[in-house]
Amino acid sequence: VSLVYFNQRFRDLIQYVPGGPPNYLGSFANLTEAESNGYEAEFEFTPPGIVSASGNYTQASPLVKRVSSSYTGDLLPGQPLLRRPTHSGSGTLRVTPRRGSFAVTATYIGKRPDLDFNEFPSPTVTLPAYTKIDVAGSVDIWRAASNRSSFSLTARAENVLNKEYETVLHFPAPGRVLIIGARFSGSL
């Protein structure tokens, strides 16, 4: 188990600033100063046997602290930084029998602010929290007598429940993704 307090300070943080009429061309500007303070907790549980688990949780307060006089964006000191959740975490359960492995991971991302660039001036909106589930596994098809070489089939399904969410407003994340492969370890 580990518990961590962090106090990050950012200087010269670059932020996208949407442009206005007539051409709506955006630019990048300096926020001058921002910070993110919070806590992280992690655990790993690996008892004897084939089952293990791990997880983490982060609580953060990412805020704008100071902007330069030339900054033309809408963020003001005391407002949260864009697209950074206050709460996030994940947990993984793993099963590792003798000739393979299987894992299920749940990832939670909390609510976070974003800008709606479809409007001008771009209002701040809140992206909803989401949880997605990923699974992965492998099975050894062949293993050398010396255990130094092996050939395995692998499979991974990301967002297995096909959860609809956006990490950036108006840009949907991929739905369910299936990846199948093979892996050779060792020498010939």
Side-chain angles (χ1 to χ4, degrees):
V1 172
S2 70
L3 299 171
V4 176
Y5 169 76
F6 59 89
N7 184 346
Q8 300 172 314
R9 294 182 183 173
F10 306 101
R11 291 189 186 148
D12 300 326
L13 183 67
I14 303 300
Q15 176 70 42
Y16 179 76
V17 177
N23 58 17
Y24 294 94
L25 292 176
S27 63
F28 293 91
N30 190 336
L31 274 181
T32 306
E33 193 175 325
E35 71 179 17
S36 183
N37 304 321
Y39 303 90
E40 290 180 336
E42 294 181 343
F43 80 90
E44 187 162 351
F45 182 64
T46 54
I50 63 171
V51 178
S52 62
S54 61
N56 63 69
Y57 169 77
T58 301
Q59 183 278 320
S61 298
L63 297 173
V64 176
K65 294 303 286 180
R66 193 164 51 109
V67 296
S68 70
S69 59
S70 62
Y71 178 70
T72 58
D74 295 333
L75 292 178
L76 300 172
Q79 290 183 316
L81 291 171
L82 298 177
R83 301 184 189 129
R84 290 167 174 88
T86 302
H87 303 277
S88 61
S90 69
T92 300
L93 178 65
R94 285 177 295 284
V95 179
T96 53
R98 204 166 142 236
R99 293 207 171 255
S101 66
F102 178 77
V104 176
T105 300
T107 302
Y108 171 80
I109 303 295
K111 294 187 278 186
R112 60 240 174 263
D114 202 350
L115 293 178
D116 187 349
F117 294 114
N118 284 342
E119 299 180 34
F120 185 81
S122 300
T124 300
V125 297
T126 301
L127 294 173
Y130 66 89
T131 301
K132 71 179 189 93
I133 307 290
D134 302 330
V135 297
S138 69
V139 61
D140 292 346
I141 301 299
W142 171 81
R143 182 173 294 276
S146 64
N147 278 339
R148 291 187 179 171
S149 299
S150 65
F151 180 76
S152 305
L153 295 180
T154 63
R156 186 172 75 225
E158 297 174 356
N159 193 10
V160 73
L161 300 178
N162 206 26
K163 176 76 174 172
E164 292 183 16
Y165 65 94
E166 296 175 328
T167 56
V168 176
L169 186 65
H170 303 304
F171 289 89
R176 185 180 303 113
V177 176
L178 301 173
I179 300 166
I180 298 173
R183 178 177 49 233
F184 175 79
S185 299
S187 59
L188 296 174

